[in-house]
Amino acid sequence: MDKLKIVGGLPLKGEVKIAGAKNAALPILCACLLTDQPITLRNVPDLQDVRTMLKLLQEIGVEVHFPDVSDRHHVVLNAANIKSSEATYDMVKTMRASILVLGPLLARMHSAKVSLPGGCAIGARPVDQHIKGLKAMGATIQIQSGYIEAKTNSPSGRLTGAPILTDMITVTGTENLLMAATLAAGTTILENAAREPEVGDLAELLVKMGAKITGIHTDRLVIEGVEKLHSAEHAIIADRIEAGTFLCAVAAAGGEILVTHCRPDTLDAVIVKLKDVGLEMEIGPDWIKASMKSRPKAVNFRTSEYPAFPTDMQAQLMAVNAVAVGSSMITETIFENRFMHVQELNRLGADIAIEGNTAIAQGVDRLSGAIVMATDLRASASLVIAGLAAQGETQVERIYHLDRGYDRMEQKLTLLGANIKRVK
């Protein structure tokens, strides 16, 4: 199993290019199931989760073609000959986003059998809102033997448009119901829809495919179903979480970097907190120049749904607070088990205590290298950031979590002057 070895204490300097967003790419890959015509995607991140999703789609019968075999960021998907409406446990168990095949398979094939999903162990992420919405659109759904079995009941086989109000804001739930609604008969109104940029990116692709959607980027999506969708080309939005991670890295380790191919307009809440930390930033339309010349200042923050501070950035900013001047309170409102990185940061010398859904961090002058273990995707990023700021050598184990969501992170950090290497 691979691990990372980091010798910390070096400031970062140079330019880093941000990849396409994992959280946009996964639902967008599933959108190919809605049509029998090819979908061409660019700026696809080369991540383990993306590779897993492509394998799942191939198992269903999707043809996956890379026009240039050396470039995995450009892919053409063709779901003309779907051979199965089942997503098996073996394919789904490692990645919760696999649930995103449920809506499009049901809409186009009129039946679907999808294993209950797995993924990071950061807390309960039930799929009850997906099921509630699909039932409102006329589907019959049963859960048995660990599988969601769904089918349509109308004479035409199509789902039926309906008003849907989810009990909570759910990103994957919004995406699943949005895709299903594009081929439903009639109009679907999704209230309390997630507003994340990745949801908007999916909606923009669906419109290119011929879907009729209004209210994109708002919490009320209106979808007028059509009988058929067609081919389209689309470039995946830049990964705001990767961009935020590199900004946190320079905030903790010091130095000056230029973050390119990013979307600063999707990072407002993160940028505000990093400015409070003391990170100096010059911001352009698709770039951020960031410099850190002093020790960071501790900041309090609270995670919530977009456009508030993202839960996917909580661990990274906590790593900055670990070496900051002063104390801070970090409140996690999205996932109840997303503080597993705290004990690992404390192994590096951090002073962080947990009280319910709040972590209280007392900044220390310096961290000291140690062997630590990644417990989930964003936790692994926080440990890398802490390792960059620590004195001595840090060894981050179980980095397969990191590979699920970051495209060659150690190579990008090496180009920024970090002493980091992957070890088999």
Side-chain angles (χ1 to χ4, degrees):
M1 201 174 292
D2 289 5
K3 60 189 73 173
L4 289 179
K5 286 189 177 181
I6 306 165
V7 179
L10 298 174
L12 303 179
K13 186 173 181 62
E15 182 177 316
V16 60
K17 179 182 177 181
I18 299 304
K22 173 183 87 86
N23 290 339
L26 297 177
I28 280 174
L29 290 171
C30 295
C32 78
L33 295 168
L34 292 165
T35 179
D36 60 3
Q37 296 182 24
I39 301 297
T40 301
L41 301 175
R42 301 181 188 276
N43 203 36
V44 180
D46 187 12
L47 308 170
Q48 187 57 48
D49 272 10
V50 169
R51 290 176 179 242
T52 299
M53 183 63 82
L54 289 173
K55 287 179 182 176
L56 170 57
L57 292 173
Q58 287 177 308
E59 187 177 86
I60 291 171
V62 176
E63 293 180 13
V64 177
H65 173 61
F66 295 96
D68 179 350
V69 292
S70 65
D71 180 11
R72 293 189 65 89
H73 305 291
H74 176 199
V75 62
V76 179
L77 306 171
N78 192 328
N81 299 305
I82 293 178
K83 63 185 180 183
S84 170
S85 291
E86 180 176 347
T88 64
Y89 171 75
D90 285 343
M91 293 303 302
V92 171
K93 64 183 178 182
T94 61
M95 186 179 65
R96 183 180 184 276
S98 304
I99 191 68
L100 288 166
V101 302
L102 177 61
L105 277 176
L106 182 60
R108 180 163 161 229
M109 306 305 293
H110 308 149
S111 68
K113 181 179 179 182
V114 180
S115 173
L116 290 168
C120 282
I122 57 175
R125 294 189 281 182
V127 295
D128 58 318
Q129 299 304 302
H130 305 236
I131 293 170
K132 172 186 174 181
L134 292 173
K135 282 184 174 180
M137 296 168 71
T140 298
I141 299 178
Q142 292 182 321
I143 299 179
Q144 52 188 12
S145 303
Y147 280 82
I148 302 169
E149 298 185 15
K151 62 180 181 180
T152 60
N153 287 315
S154 67
S156 67
R158 296 173 69 188
L159 292 168
T160 303
I164 300 170
L165 172 62
T166 56
D167 298 334
M168 63 190 76
I169 297 174
T170 162
V171 173
T172 53
T174 299
E175 291 164 342
N176 234 339
L177 298 175
L178 173 61
M179 287 189 282
T182 60
L183 293 179
T187 300
T188 299
I189 301 174
L190 295 182
E191 302 277 9
N192 203 27
R195 296 167 56 192
E196 272 70 4
E198 296 80 14
V199 177
D201 202 35
L202 169 65
E204 288 169 8
L205 166 65
L206 293 172
V207 169
K208 292 176 183 177
M209 294 169 64
K212 296 181 179 179
I213 305 169
T214 57
I216 297 174
H217 300 294
T218 76
D219 61 1
R220 187 177 190 268
L221 295 171
V222 180
I223 308 100
E224 183 183 339
V226 298
E227 290 190 10
K228 195 175 180 69
L229 295 177
H230 52 69
S231 63
E233 294 191 16
H234 187 73
I236 307 292
I237 192 174
D239 195 326
R240 61 193 171 103
I241 304 303
E242 185 189 22
T245 298
F246 279 100
L247 292 174
C248 283
V250 73
E256 181 175 291
I257 66 172
L258 177 64
V259 181
T260 67
H261 297 79
C262 63
R263 283 282 302 271
D265 60 316
T266 65
L267 278 165
D268 288 346
V270 174
I271 287 171
V272 166
K273 288 300 174 182
L274 286 173
K275 284 182 176 178
D276 291 343
V277 160
L279 187 66
E280 297 179 10
M281 282 177 277
E282 183 181 345
I283 300 171
D286 60 356
W287 55 268
I288 301 173
K289 185 177 182 181
S291 63
M292 195 71 179
K293 300 170 183 175
S294 60
R295 189 174 159 197
K297 303 167 191 168
V299 292
N300 300 329
F301 66 96
R302 177 186 184 92
T303 66
S304 191
E305 292 85 0
Y306 189 86
F309 193 92
T311 181
D312 279 354
M313 282 300 304
Q314 176 252 105
Q316 299 92 309
L317 188 51
M318 185 186 291
V320 178
N321 272 337
V323 295
V325 176
S327 60
S328 58
M329 295 180 63
I330 299 112
T331 304
E332 173 60 53
T333 72
I334 306 297
F335 297 123
E336 74 279 5
N337 197 27
R338 203 163 200 175
F339 283 148
M340 291 188 291
H341 47 281
V342 168
Q343 64 182 5
E344 300 302 306
L345 288 172
N346 286 344
R347 285 178 54 80
L348 294 167
D351 183 2
I352 307 171
I354 301 173
E355 294 184 8
N357 69 333
T358 299
I360 302 167
Q362 180 65 52
V364 298
D365 289 341
R366 64 177 55 86
L367 300 174
S368 300
I371 298 174
V372 291
M373 180 178 67
T375 53
D376 62 70
L377 169 54
R378 306 307 173 183
S380 53
S382 77
L383 297 178
V384 171
I385 292 169
L388 294 171
Q391 298 297 313
E393 182 179 280
T394 297
Q395 184 170 296
V396 184
E397 299 188 337
R398 291 175 63 178
I399 61 164
Y400 59 85
H401 289 295
L402 192 74
D403 295 336
R404 288 186 50 225
Y406 290 93
D407 191 346
R408 300 169 293 118
M409 176 183 261
E410 75 280 5
Q411 294 180 33
K412 292 181 178 182
L413 285 170
T414 297
L415 292 173
L416 294 177
N419 186 340
I420 180 172
K421 62 181 179 179
R422 181 179 292 253
V423 180
K424 296 290 183 181

